Amino acid sequence: MFTGLILELGEITSINRKSGGAVLSLKSNETASAAKLGDSIAVNGVCLTVVKSGRKELSFDLSDETLRSTNIGSLNNGDAVNLEPSLSPDSKIGGHFVTGHVDTVGKIRSRVQSGDMLKFEIEAPSKVTDFLVEKGSVAVDGISLTVVDILKDGFTLVIIPHTAKLTTLGFKGGGDTVNIEVDILGKYVAKFLQRREDENSRFMKTLMEGGFINE
């Protein structure tokens, strides 16, 4: 579990493809120095397990599914990635709960400078936008952000200078991809409501089949 507050930017040093996936290696300062084997680290919002650690380098195994369903598979040597260690009992929760399980890969449609702020419009399918609410939370490349507008096929965000300086969104623009994870609380609420609706439908069907009510 994570909060969407990025600790630092890491730099990809290698992605070695192998049967069934790949091995991703990157260099970092704070994240690598504190990490241990088996730790969970969010890399661009994707929860990965440390399989090798050094003073300034980390390595992770990637499955084919991770390569297909996130933007990790399109990274190259030298690319920057957002890094966040998993929550510990004494961690401050300043963003929102992020699982590191990406729902979809979105595409930046536009980036507009507005004073000191940056406004992004991100293209995303309805399976994502259906779970978004205005002023609600969403994780984009692992960054906890606030939804501004919900569009038919996407949503907008406004990024403050601090976020632009310390995360990948500072240098991403139109056409670039981002990992998107919707708020897990919204998923649970939606599932609960759907289950109630299904139960009510089955109940009404039983009543009609038993002749207790007419259509």
Side-chain angles (χ1 to χ4, degrees):
M1 187 70 74
F2 309 90
T3 66
L5 300 183
I6 305 305
L7 177 63
E8 65 175 333
L9 287 172
E11 181 182 332
I12 301 299
T13 55
S14 67
I15 301 181
N16 295 318
R17 304 276 177 165
K18 61 178 183 178
S19 176
V23 176
L24 168 71
S25 295
L26 59 84
K27 60 182 180 181
S28 72
N29 294 316
E30 293 182 63
T31 307
S33 63
K36 299 179 179 62
L37 290 179
D39 281 358
S40 295
I41 307 290
V43 180
N44 272 6
V46 184
C47 180
L48 300 177
T49 301
V50 176
V51 297
K52 182 179 179 181
S53 64
R55 191 167 61 88
K56 289 194 175 184
E57 188 168 29
L58 296 170
S59 294
F60 310 87
D61 284 333
L62 306 177
S63 67
D64 275 342
E65 174 62 20
T66 298
L67 293 171
R68 282 194 303 268
S69 59
T70 74
N71 65 12
I72 297 291
S74 62
L75 293 173
N76 298 302
N77 292 355
D79 284 349
V81 288
N82 297 321
L83 300 178
E84 182 193 354
S86 60
L87 280 168
S88 61
D90 60 346
S91 296
K92 294 181 179 180
I93 303 176
H96 72 284
F97 287 120
V98 177
T99 66
H101 302 153
V102 172
D103 292 300
T104 193
V105 176
K107 181 180 291 186
I108 297 174
R109 185 176 290 152
S110 66
R111 164 182 165 146
V112 178
Q113 189 82 40
S114 179
D116 292 336
M117 309 295 180
L118 288 172
K119 184 173 183 178
F120 287 86
E121 183 176 315
I122 298 177
E123 181 181 319
S126 59
K127 70 176 183 178
V128 165
T129 57
D130 285 348
F131 287 98
L132 299 180
V133 295
E134 291 183 359
K135 306 303 183 288
S137 296
V138 64
V140 177
D141 268 358
I143 311 162
S144 176
L145 297 169
T146 300
V147 176
V148 177
D149 300 304
I150 301 171
L151 311 174
K152 180 180 178 181
D153 56 354
F155 58 98
T156 65
L157 305 162
V158 173
I159 308 301
I160 64 174
H162 178 78
T163 301
K165 180 180 179 180
L166 298 180
T167 73
T168 55
L169 287 182
F171 50 80
K172 284 194 172 185
D176 288 332
T177 60
V178 288
N179 294 321
I180 301 173
E181 179 189 335
V182 300
D183 192 340
I184 190 172
L185 297 179
K187 293 181 183 179
Y188 281 121
V189 171
K191 184 173 182 179
F192 173 77
L193 293 175
Q194 183 61 54
R195 185 166 58 190
R196 288 290 297 273
E197 183 179 338
D198 292 343
E199 289 174 351
N200 289 338
S201 295
R202 287 195 296 269
F203 178 67
M204 293 300 293
K205 182 179 180 181
T206 299
L207 291 178
M208 288 187 289
E209 289 176 346
F212 295 103
I213 59 174
N214 297 317
E215 290 189 62

